[in-house]
Amino acid sequence: MMNRTFWAGFGMAVIVILLPVLFLIDARSSVDRRSPARSEETSAAPAPLPAAPAVSLPPLPEGRPPALSPPPSAPVSPAPMASLSPREMEHPEIVFSPERIRRSLARDPRRRAPARRPFREHSGIRTIVYDPAHVTTVRTAVSHVTLIDLPEEAKEVYLGDAKLFQAEVFGSRVKVKPITWDPSTTTNMIVYTLHRQFAFRLRVVPEGEEDDLLTFYLPSSETVVNLTPLRQKMEKDLALREQDDLRKKALETLRTAGASEPVGVWSEKDGIRAEFLGFSSLGKDRYALFEVTNGTNHPVRLSGIRLRLFRSSLFWEGRREWIDGEDWSRGFRLEVPARGRSRALLPADPPPLASSREGYLAELRVEGEPGGRQIFRLEARGGRR
């Protein structure tokens, strides 16, 4: 019984050991039975790579240790992996050699350095001197804002096309931003301040070429005299002078033409005659017209005129009651030459006389030789001619 168990175990061990050996021998024999051409191709050794040419170095001077430097490698023209022959493709040691991998990587376009764009210096900040006759071009870009600083506060902003650009005002600063991607888009913008106007032409440019900040300065300095109010004042003064000249001419015409509402009372002393001619109108203004005739050989001067409206008393005809508010007076320096005459206009607008109890009393002060100062009283009553 013991012998049977021993021999059974021994046989199993032999089988376990011999089966792998027989399988290996069968595999080797199948490889040896390949065709001779195939065997020659697989047994061919890989072609050796060209060796680097030897470089002869000049001898070093004695007493110095030699400096080790690697010899220069021969230039190798890169060759793509597709240029391998079918025979070389059968050998992994050729296909995946380090030299072949380096050549392939060198020809890979993904490993090339990106081409650099030509450098062009661009500054998005500009300083501009204000010129009312110049149109400033503003370069804007999408997703970028351009600020325009003006020398004074902006009041109004007008855009040629508000669908293409956006403009906002913050005091003296204007913010401009395009809302279109079309690079051929352009429009204009007008900005009005208190005393000036600014004209702009808006364009859309590629990113990196836009204007970030535009600052405007006045031509000479920051304290430039604004000529617009001065010009307006000069024009206004000129218009007033022209109007005054026209009025003076009209008054002169009115003075020489005579009274349109005659009164016709007069008084004479020492060769000097004073006369209340009547009333004349110029537009809405009404004037009392007086005339002084100098019959002496000495010039005299009319220094003042006073005109009052009165009513006579019902019982005493010689008593006058002066009407409140119906009193006009003015000082003059009107020269009356010898043997000459002059007329004067007194701004006055008394109502017409309604009855014989109402009247005008004019007092004229005349100064000069021979009688010194004289006062001429001229009385006119209603209902009398």
Side-chain angles (χ1 to χ4, degrees), residues 178-247:
I179 52 178
T180 177
W181 293 87
D182 188 2
S184 62
T185 299
T186 180
T187 188
N188 69 322
M189 181 177 69
I190 308 296
V191 179
Y192 281 93
T193 62
L194 184 61
H195 305 109
R196 296 170 180 83
Q197 63 273 353
F198 297 80
F200 300 94
R201 182 174 292 107
L202 306 181
R203 293 180 51 197
V204 179
V205 298
E207 183 179 358
E209 300 180 3
E210 73 280 356
D211 292 324
D212 297 317
L213 178 62
L214 275 69
T215 304
F216 280 85
Y217 288 97
L218 299 181
S220 59
S221 64
E222 295 184 357
T223 57
V224 176
V225 178
N226 182 23
L227 298 179
T228 302
L230 181 60
R231 187 183 301 109
Q232 293 177 353
K233 185 177 183 306
M234 292 175 60
E235 293 175 355
K236 184 177 179 180
D237 293 343
L238 180 60
L240 291 177
R241 285 198 299 270
E242 292 178 352
Q243 184 178 359
D244 189 48
D245 293 342
L246 291 176
R247 186 176 181 84

Side-chain angles (χ1 to χ4, degrees), residues 358-375:
E358 297 180 351
Y360 302 126
L361 180 60
E363 297 177 353
L364 283 74
R365 295 189 302 272
V366 178
E367 299 177 357
E369 295 294 340
R373 173 180 291 187
Q374 300 185 41
I375 297 179

Side-chain angles (χ1 to χ4, degrees), residues 254-314:
L254 188 68
R255 186 181 296 109
T256 57
S260 59
E261 302 174 20
V263 174
V265 293
W266 55 275
S267 176
E268 185 175 358
K269 294 180 182 180
D270 300 331
I272 299 175
R273 177 188 175 99
E275 185 175 0
F276 182 14
L277 299 178
F279 296 95
S280 297
S281 299
L282 180 61
K284 297 182 180 180
D285 299 328
R286 194 159 175 250
Y287 296 89
L289 180 60
F290 298 88
E291 183 180 81
V292 177
T293 303
N294 184 9
T296 66
N297 296 325
H298 305 280
V300 295
R301 182 175 68 248
L302 177 64
S303 60
I305 301 176
R306 183 179 184 184
L307 177 64
R308 291 183 288 178
L309 182 63
F310 68 90
R311 290 190 181 94
S312 298
S313 175
L314 183 60

